[in-house]
């Protein structure tokens, strides 16, 4: 199920600025699409598929509820609503009057994001739910000579060390990229991390081995290992066949994703790195 | 309804959610309204306008408007025109990038130095337009 967030634009009131900040941060954490309310009004076809298939979270800044009204105008089904005015009152924090959020506003924004993410992920993210990962449909393609390297266009983040992370609630699937599995050729052995291992971002998260190399898996995020893909021990070829789906290596309970994500790359940025690496190897 | 001189210029950015271009349009607007021309300009929430809020519609109809759009969809410009607003200038952030090839402006949640440079250039161009209008008004008979 695709989830999307439609937020107040937050232009001329501090409550709106807060709503917008909460929307952007929540979308990053939850891997949601952000829906621009004005574009939704002006070009609703742009969001037709997302709104038809997904759960819509609406975040309004003030009781005028522009975002909710715009969603209703296009007949979007709203799954969840947040009114920032109420949340501010409940928090007991005073919001600075300026349009740019100060430290108090940022603190409040993070608190609201945490609450929303907890609410959204309640009941999901159990190991049973996480035992499988469907590969994405939408890829960026990097070409180099006869080789093609696929990089998920959305929902995955990457490190320069060719590992990826996909966030599901407060947990994260991690794995290695299509580029590195092709570079290693047939992967013959996987030494996954142990359950309950605590790992820091860019720390080691097991190894994979092929006839060409042994690769240390670099953790894209900090966390505790809560699930290991033990299927890979008997079927390491899954890493070659389906690196972004069945070839996931471990699931981590996140410990500091807000900080970790600052050092992660989106698909486009990682694609540029793959292009450089592949060209250097070819050349 | 805002209590303003009818000559106060409304600077209206696109919503700017989800893309860095939109954030540049928003920050450029704040630079104009808060720092470069605070007495002569104000902003107006675009979502409120497209929702058909009567005060917002009256505001764009009774004040000169300058729109700053992030992308070529030009939501701000189009919606001010649809509302019957008095559009005196429209600016597109994407056009500013033509003179900043290779710039890395940041993301939807924060601008880099490159992003702030572009935002300030746009803000200065908009402010120049505002000052020019004021000068024309002062010399008019």
């Amino acid at each position: 199920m695709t989830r999307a967030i439609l937020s107040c634009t937050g232009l001329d009131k501090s409550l709106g600025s807060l709503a917008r900040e909460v929307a952007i941060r929540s979308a990053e954490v939850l891997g949601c699409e952000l829906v621009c309310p004005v574009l939704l009004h002006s070009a609703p076809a742009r969001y037709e598929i997302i709104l038809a298939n997904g759960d819509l979270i609406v975040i309004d800044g003030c009781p005028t509820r522009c975002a909710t009204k715009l969603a209703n105008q296009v007949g979007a089904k709203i799954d969840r609503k947040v009114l920032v005015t109420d949340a501010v009152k409940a928090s007991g924090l005073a919001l600075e009057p300026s349009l740019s959020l100060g430290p108090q506003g940022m603190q409040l924004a993070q608190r609201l994001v945490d609450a929303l993410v907890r609410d959204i992920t309640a009941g999901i993210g159990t190991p049973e739910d996480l035992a499988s990962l469907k590969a994405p449909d939408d890829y960026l393609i990097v070409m180099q000579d006869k080789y093609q390297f696929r990089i998920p266009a959305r929902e995955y983040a990457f490190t320069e060390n060719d590992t990826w992370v996909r966030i599901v609630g407060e947990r994260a699937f991690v794995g290695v990229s299509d580029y590195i599995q092709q570079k290693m050729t047939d992967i013959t052995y996987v030494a996954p991390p142990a359950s309950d291992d605590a790992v820091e971002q860019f720390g080691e998260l097991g190894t994979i081995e092929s006839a060409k190399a042994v690769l240390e898996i670099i953790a894209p995020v900090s966390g505790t290992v809560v699930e290991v893909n033990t299927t890979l021990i008997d079927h390491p070829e899954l890493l070659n066949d389906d690196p972004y789906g069945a070839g996931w290596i471990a699931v981590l309970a996140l410990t500091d994703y807000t900080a970790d994500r600052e050092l992660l790359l989106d698909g486009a940025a990682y694609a540029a790195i793959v292009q450089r690496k592949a060209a250097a190897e070819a050349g | 309804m805002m209590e303003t001189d009818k000559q106060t210029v409304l600077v209206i950015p696109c919503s700017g959610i989800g893309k860095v271009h939109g954030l540049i349009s928003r920050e450029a607007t704040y630079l104009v309204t808060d720092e470069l021309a605070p007495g002569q300009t104000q902003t107006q929430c675009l979502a409120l306008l497209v929702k058909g809020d009567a005060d917002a519609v009256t505001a764009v109809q009774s004040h000169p408007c300058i729109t700053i759009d992030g992308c070529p969809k030009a939501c701000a410009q189009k919606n001010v025109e649809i509302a019957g607003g008095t559009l005196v200038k429209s600016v597109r952030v994407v056009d500013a990038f033509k003179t900043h090839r290779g710039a890395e402006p940041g993301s939807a949640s924060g601008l880099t130095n490159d992003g702030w440079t572009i935002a300030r250039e746009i803000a200065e161009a908009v402010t120049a337009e505002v000052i020019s209008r004021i000068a024309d008004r002062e010399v008019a008979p």
Side-chain angles (χ1 to χ4, degrees):
Chain A
M1 173 78 73
T2 307
R3 190 174 283 123
I5 297 181
L6 168 66
S7 162
C8 154
T9 62
L11 187 65
D12 59 358
K13 293 190 181 73
S14 53
L15 284 166
S17 298
L18 181 59
R20 177 177 169 278
E21 189 68 27
V22 170
I24 290 173
R25 291 187 189 201
S26 298
E28 286 175 358
V29 173
L30 293 166
C32 293
E33 285 270 351
L34 266 176
V35 177
C36 174
V38 175
L39 196 55
L40 176 66
H41 172 83
S42 304
R46 161 72 178 77
Y47 296 114
E48 202 169 298
I49 294 172
I50 295 170
L51 296 180
N53 297 332
D55 287 342
L56 182 65
I57 303 165
V58 174
I59 304 178
D60 278 304
C62 73
T64 307
R65 292 182 183 271
C66 290
T68 297
K69 288 172 183 168
L70 288 167
N72 290 337
Q73 272 181 14
V74 297
K77 180 176 169 288
I78 299 173
D79 178 59
R80 210 173 292 256
K81 291 182 188 176
V82 175
L83 179 58
V84 164
T85 314
D86 291 345
V88 170
K89 278 182 196 160
S91 75
L93 289 175
L95 192 59
E96 300 95 330
S98 66
L99 296 176
S100 299
L101 295 180
Q104 193 107 311
M106 288 297 186
Q107 186 189 346
L108 188 50
Q110 191 56 48
R111 195 184 288 187
L112 296 180
V113 170
D114 292 343
L116 181 61
V117 170
R118 268 199 307 276
D119 185 30
I120 296 286
T121 57
I124 68 165
T126 61
E128 288 76 15
D129 295 326
L130 297 173
S132 63
L133 179 64
K134 187 178 175 296
D137 301 320
D138 187 12
Y139 289 100
L140 305 173
I141 304 292
V142 172
M143 306 279 293
Q144 180 65 47
D145 301 331
K146 64 179 181 181
Y147 296 102
Q148 282 191 11
F149 305 108
R150 293 177 309 147
I151 296 158
R154 294 181 292 114
E155 298 186 294
Y156 288 66
F158 302 85
T159 68
E160 290 189 21
N161 309 100
D162 307 300
T163 50
W164 56 257
V165 57
R166 180 171 172 179
I167 305 299
V168 179
E170 291 176 329
R171 299 189 174 185
F173 283 91
V174 298
V176 296
S177 71
D178 182 40
Y179 164 73
I180 202 66
Q181 71 81 11
Q182 289 196 50
K183 187 179 172 191
M184 291 189 74
T185 65
D186 291 342
I187 293 168
T188 53
Y189 181 70
V190 178
S195 286
D196 298 329
D197 271 3
V199 63
E200 292 195 11
Q201 189 180 32
F202 303 119
E204 186 191 327
L205 201 59
T207 58
I208 56 178
E209 189 173 338
S210 71
K212 289 180 72 174
V214 176
L215 178 77
E216 185 179 294
I217 302 161
I218 301 298
V221 290
S222 312
T224 303
V225 177
V226 294
E227 185 80 358
V228 172
N229 190 356
T230 50
T231 308
L232 295 178
I233 295 170
D234 291 329
H235 298 283
E237 71 277 8
L238 285 174
L239 277 167
N240 296 109
D241 296 343
D242 191 7
Y244 299 115
W248 62 273
I249 291 168
V251 176
L252 306 185
L254 294 164
T255 50
D256 193 8
Y257 186 62
T258 302
D260 290 348
R261 70 178 179 218
E262 299 289 326
L263 299 175
L264 294 174
L265 306 165
D266 64 14
Y270 178 62
I273 287 174
V274 169
Q275 188 78 70
R276 281 202 299 273
K277 286 182 178 182
E281 282 158 20
Chain B
M1 174 61 195
M2 60 175 71
E3 293 296 329
T4 57
D5 182 328
K6 294 288 186 198
Q7 295 305 321
T8 297
V9 177
L10 297 187
V11 183
I12 305 171
C14 83
S15 295
I17 285 188
K19 291 193 179 69
V20 67
H21 298 81
L23 181 58
I24 290 174
S25 78
R26 168 185 301 258
E27 296 294 0
T29 299
Y30 290 158
L31 284 171
V32 175
T33 58
D34 296 353
E35 184 184 318
L36 298 174
Q40 294 88 39
T41 57
Q42 279 195 352
T43 190
Q44 168 66 55
C45 182
L46 190 60
L48 207 55
L49 181 68
V50 303
K51 193 180 70 61
D53 179 86
D55 287 347
V57 171
T58 304
V60 300
Q61 288 176 345
S62 56
H63 292 76
C65 301
I66 297 176
T67 54
I68 305 178
D69 276 298
C71 74
K73 292 188 188 303
C75 289
Q77 178 190 339
K78 287 176 185 168
N79 283 293
V80 167
E81 286 172 347
I82 288 168
T86 315
L87 189 64
V88 297
K89 185 179 178 69
S90 57
V91 177
R92 301 192 318 171
V93 172
V94 285
D95 292 336
F97 275 80
K98 291 174 185 166
T99 53
H100 290 274
R101 298 277 182 208
E104 294 184 358
S107 67
S109 53
L111 298 184
T112 61
N113 286 339
D114 279 359
W116 279 111
T117 298
I118 295 168
R120 186 161 284 279
E121 278 184 15
I122 292 169
E124 286 169 352
V126 168
T127 302
E129 176 70 24
V130 171
I131 291 168
S132 161
R133 287 189 60 80
I134 292 167
D136 288 347
R137 210 164 62 220
E138 285 172 353
V139 299

